[in-house]
Amino acid sequence: MTDEKIIYESATCGHCGGMGCLYCNKTGVVAVARPKRHCHHCDGIGCIYCGFTGWAGLKGKYD
Ligand SMILES: [Zn+2]
Ligand SMILES: [Zn+2]
């Protein structure tokens, strides 16, 4: 039970740097929970833990 609403904001996909790739659905951006923070596993480069986007709190990924 929490009233805390998760707010998502768009972040540049760390895998393609905004060019568009498989992991960001070719949009170049991904929705991540605020406050935006880089994935601590890869430091923003992209790894299996962040869905190769470089961001922690990726929307829909770990709900
Ligand atoms: Zn991408
Ligand atoms: Zn990562």
Side-chain angles (χ1 to χ4, degrees), residues 2-61:
T2 174
D3 290 325
E4 233 179 289
K5 192 176 171 212
I6 299 174
I7 300 166
Y8 292 98
E9 60 183 324
S10 52
T12 305
C13 174
H15 184 81
C16 61
M19 298 291 286
C21 69
L22 193 71
Y23 307 110
C24 56
N25 289 322
K26 307 222 164 108
T27 60
V29 293
V30 290
V32 295
R34 286 175 70 175
K36 289 195 289 187
R37 58 202 186 285
H38 276 137
C39 169
H40 66 270
H41 292 283
C42 63
D43 212 17
I45 296 166
C47 68
I48 194 167
Y49 298 104
C50 55
F52 299 95
T53 63
W55 296 97
L58 196 64
K59 185 179 185 185
K61 197 84 188 170

